[in-house]
Coordinates of all heavy atoms in Angstrom, one line a residue:
V256 N -26.2 -1.6 -101.8 CA -27.1 -2.6 -102.4 C -28.6 -2.2 -102.3 O -29.4 -2.2 -103.2 CB -26.9 -4.0 -101.8 CG1 -28.0 -5.0 -102.3 CG2 -25.5 -4.5 -102.2
W257 N -28.9 -1.7 -101.1 CA -30.3 -1.2 -100.8 C -30.6 0.0 -101.8 O -31.7 0.1 -102.3 CB -30.4 -0.8 -99.4 CG -31.8 -0.5 -98.9 CD1 -32.9 -0.3 -99.7 CD2 -32.3 -0.4 -97.6 NE1 -34.0 -0.1 -98.9 CE2 -33.7 -0.2 -97.6 CE3 -31.6 -0.5 -96.3 CZ2 -34.4 0.0 -96.4 CZ3 -32.4 -0.4 -95.2 CH2 -33.7 -0.1 -95.2
L258 N -29.6 0.9 -101.9 CA -29.8 2.0 -102.8 C -30.0 1.6 -104.2 O -30.9 2.1 -105.0 CB -28.6 3.0 -102.7 CG -28.4 3.8 -101.4 CD1 -27.0 4.5 -101.5 CD2 -29.5 4.7 -101.2
A259 N -29.3 0.6 -104.7 CA -29.4 0.0 -106.0 C -30.8 -0.6 -106.3 O -31.3 -0.6 -107.4 CB -28.3 -1.0 -106.3
L260 N -31.4 -1.1 -105.2 CA -32.7 -1.7 -105.3 C -33.8 -0.7 -105.2 O -35.0 -1.0 -105.1 CB -32.9 -2.8 -104.2 CG -32.0 -4.0 -104.4 CD1 -32.1 -4.9 -103.2 CD2 -32.2 -4.7 -105.7
G261 N -33.4 0.6 -105.0 CA -34.4 1.7 -105.0 C -34.8 2.1 -103.6 O -35.9 2.8 -103.5
G262 N -34.1 1.8 -102.6 CA -34.4 2.2 -101.2 C -34.2 3.6 -101.0 O -33.4 4.3 -101.7
N263 N -34.9 4.2 -100.0 CA -34.8 5.6 -99.7 C -33.4 5.9 -99.1 O -33.0 5.3 -98.2 CB -35.9 6.0 -98.7 CG -35.8 7.5 -98.3 OD1 -35.1 7.9 -97.5 ND2 -36.6 8.3 -99.0
P264 N -32.7 6.9 -99.7 CA -31.3 7.1 -99.2 C -31.2 7.5 -97.7 O -30.3 7.0 -97.0 CB -30.8 8.3 -100.1 CG -31.7 8.2 -101.3 CD -33.0 7.7 -100.8
S265 N -32.1 8.3 -97.2 CA -32.1 8.7 -95.8 C -32.3 7.5 -94.9 O -31.6 7.3 -93.9 CB -33.1 9.8 -95.6 OG -32.8 11.0 -96.2
T266 N -33.4 6.7 -95.2 CA -33.7 5.6 -94.4 C -32.6 4.6 -94.3 O -32.2 4.1 -93.3 CB -35.0 4.9 -95.0 OG1 -36.0 5.8 -95.0 CG2 -35.3 3.7 -94.1
V267 N -32.0 4.3 -95.5 CA -30.9 3.3 -95.5 C -29.7 3.8 -94.8 O -28.9 3.0 -94.1 CB -30.6 2.8 -97.0 CG1 -29.9 4.0 -97.7 CG2 -29.6 1.6 -97.0
S268 N -29.4 5.1 -94.9 CA -28.3 5.7 -94.1 C -28.5 5.5 -92.6 O -27.5 5.2 -91.9 CB -28.1 7.1 -94.5 OG -27.8 7.2 -95.9
Y269 N -29.7 5.8 -92.2 CA -29.9 5.7 -90.7 C -29.8 4.3 -90.3 O -29.2 4.0 -89.2 CB -31.3 6.2 -90.4 CG -31.5 7.7 -90.5 CD1 -32.6 8.3 -91.2 CD2 -30.6 8.6 -89.9 CE1 -32.8 9.6 -91.3 CE2 -30.7 9.9 -90.0 CZ -31.8 10.5 -90.7 OH -32.0 11.8 -90.8
V270 N -30.4 3.3 -91.0 CA -30.4 1.9 -90.6 C -28.9 1.4 -90.6 O -28.5 0.7 -89.7 CB -31.3 1.1 -91.6 CG1 -31.1 -0.4 -91.3 CG2 -32.7 1.5 -91.4
A271 N -28.2 1.7 -91.7 CA -26.8 1.2 -91.8 C -25.9 1.8 -90.7 O -25.1 1.0 -90.1 CB -26.2 1.5 -93.2
S272 N -26.1 3.1 -90.4 CA -25.3 3.7 -89.4 C -25.7 3.1 -88.0 O -24.8 3.0 -87.2 CB -25.5 5.2 -89.4 OG -25.1 5.8 -90.7
F273 N -26.9 2.8 -87.8 CA -27.4 2.3 -86.6 C -26.7 0.9 -86.3 O -26.2 0.6 -85.3 CB -28.9 2.1 -86.6 CG -29.5 1.7 -85.2 CD1 -29.7 2.6 -84.2 CD2 -29.9 0.4 -85.0 CE1 -30.2 2.2 -83.0 CE2 -30.4 0.0 -83.8 CZ -30.6 0.9 -82.8
V274 N -26.8 0.1 -87.4 CA -26.2 -1.3 -87.3 C -24.7 -1.2 -87.1 O -24.1 -1.9 -86.3 CB -26.5 -2.1 -88.6 CG1 -25.7 -3.4 -88.5 CG2 -28.0 -2.3 -88.7
L275 N -24.0 -0.3 -87.8 CA -22.6 -0.1 -87.6 C -22.2 0.4 -86.2 O -21.2 0.0 -85.6 CB -22.0 0.9 -88.7 CG -21.9 0.4 -90.1 CD1 -21.7 1.5 -91.1 CD2 -20.8 -0.6 -90.2
S276 N -23.1 1.2 -85.6 CA -22.9 1.6 -84.3 C -23.0 0.5 -83.3 O -22.2 0.4 -82.3 CB -23.9 2.8 -83.9 OG -23.7 3.2 -82.6
I277 N -24.0 -0.4 -83.5 CA -24.1 -1.6 -82.6 C -22.8 -2.4 -82.7 O -22.3 -2.9 -81.7 CB -25.3 -2.4 -83.1 CG1 -26.6 -1.7 -82.8 CG2 -25.3 -3.8 -82.3 CD1 -27.8 -2.4 -83.3
S278 N -22.3 -2.6 -83.9 CA -21.1 -3.3 -84.1 C -19.9 -2.6 -83.4 O -19.1 -3.3 -82.8 CB -20.8 -3.5 -85.6 OG -19.6 -4.1 -85.8
A279 N -19.8 -1.3 -83.5 CA -18.8 -0.6 -82.8 C -18.9 -0.7 -81.3 O -17.8 -0.7 -80.6 CB -18.8 0.9 -83.2
A280 N -20.1 -0.8 -80.8 CA -20.3 -1.0 -79.3 C -19.7 -2.3 -78.9 O -19.2 -2.4 -77.7 CB -21.8 -0.9 -79.0
L281 N -19.7 -3.3 -79.7 CA -19.0 -4.6 -79.4 C -17.5 -4.5 -79.6 O -16.7 -5.0 -78.8 CB -19.6 -5.7 -80.3 CG -19.0 -7.1 -80.2 CD1 -19.0 -7.6 -78.8 CD2 -19.6 -8.0 -81.2
F282 N -17.1 -3.9 -80.7 CA -15.7 -3.8 -81.1 C -14.8 -3.1 -80.0 O -13.7 -3.5 -79.7 CB -15.5 -3.2 -82.4 CG -14.1 -3.3 -83.0 CD1 -13.7 -4.4 -83.7 CD2 -13.2 -2.3 -82.8 CE1 -12.4 -4.5 -84.2 CE2 -11.9 -2.4 -83.3 CZ -11.5 -3.5 -84.0
F283 N -15.3 -2.0 -79.5 CA -14.5 -1.2 -78.6 C -14.1 -2.0 -77.3 O -12.9 -2.1 -77.0 CB -15.3 0.1 -78.2 CG -14.5 1.0 -77.3 CD1 -13.6 1.9 -77.9 CD2 -14.7 1.0 -75.9 CE1 -12.8 2.7 -77.1 CE2 -13.9 1.9 -75.1 CZ -13.0 2.7 -75.7
P284 N -15.0 -2.6 -76.6 CA -14.6 -3.3 -75.4 C -13.8 -4.6 -75.8 O -12.8 -5.0 -75.1 CB -15.9 -3.7 -74.6 CG -16.9 -3.6 -75.6 CD -16.5 -2.5 -76.6
A285 N -14.2 -5.3 -76.8 CA -13.5 -6.5 -77.2 C -12.1 -6.2 -77.7 O -11.2 -7.0 -77.3 CB -14.3 -7.2 -78.4
S286 N -11.9 -5.2 -78.4 CA -10.5 -4.9 -78.9 C -9.6 -4.4 -77.8 O -8.5 -4.8 -77.7 CB -10.6 -3.8 -80.0 OG -11.2 -2.6 -79.6
N287 N -10.2 -3.6 -76.9 CA -9.4 -3.1 -75.7 C -9.0 -4.3 -74.8 O -7.9 -4.3 -74.3 CB -10.1 -2.0 -75.0 CG -9.9 -0.7 -75.7 OD1 -8.9 0.0 -75.5 ND2 -10.9 -0.2 -76.4
A288 N -10.0 -5.2 -74.6 CA -9.7 -6.4 -73.8 C -8.7 -7.3 -74.5 O -7.8 -7.9 -73.8 CB -11.0 -7.1 -73.5
L289 N -8.7 -7.3 -75.8 CA -7.7 -8.1 -76.5 C -6.3 -7.5 -76.4 O -5.3 -8.2 -76.3 CB -8.1 -8.1 -78.0 CG -7.2 -8.9 -79.0 CD1 -7.2 -10.4 -78.6 CD2 -7.7 -8.8 -80.4
I290 N -6.3 -6.2 -76.4 CA -5.0 -5.5 -76.2 C -4.4 -5.9 -74.8 O -3.2 -6.2 -74.7 CB -5.2 -4.0 -76.3 CG1 -5.5 -3.6 -77.8 CG2 -3.9 -3.3 -75.8 CD1 -6.0 -2.2 -77.9
K291 N -5.3 -5.8 -73.8 CA -4.8 -6.1 -72.4 C -4.4 -7.6 -72.3 O -3.4 -7.9 -71.6 CB -6.0 -5.9 -71.4 CG -5.7 -6.3 -70.0 CD -4.8 -5.3 -69.3 CE -4.6 -5.7 -67.8 NZ -3.8 -4.7 -67.1
E292 N -5.0 -8.4 -73.1 CA -4.8 -9.9 -73.1 C -3.5 -10.2 -73.8 O -2.7 -11.1 -73.3 CB -5.9 -10.6 -73.7 CG -5.8 -12.1 -73.9 CD -6.9 -12.6 -74.7 OE1 -8.1 -12.6 -74.3 OE2 -6.7 -13.1 -75.9

Side-chain angles (χ1 to χ4, degrees):
V256 170
W257 191 346
L258 290 174
L260 295 175
N263 181 274
S265 294
T266 302
V267 68
S268 296
Y269 289 132
V270 172
S272 297
F273 187 81
V274 174
L275 285 167
S276 181
I277 293 175
S278 178
L281 172 61
F282 188 85
F283 184 81
S286 61
N287 278 283
L289 182 63
I290 291 167
K291 175 74 174 184
E292 174 186 297

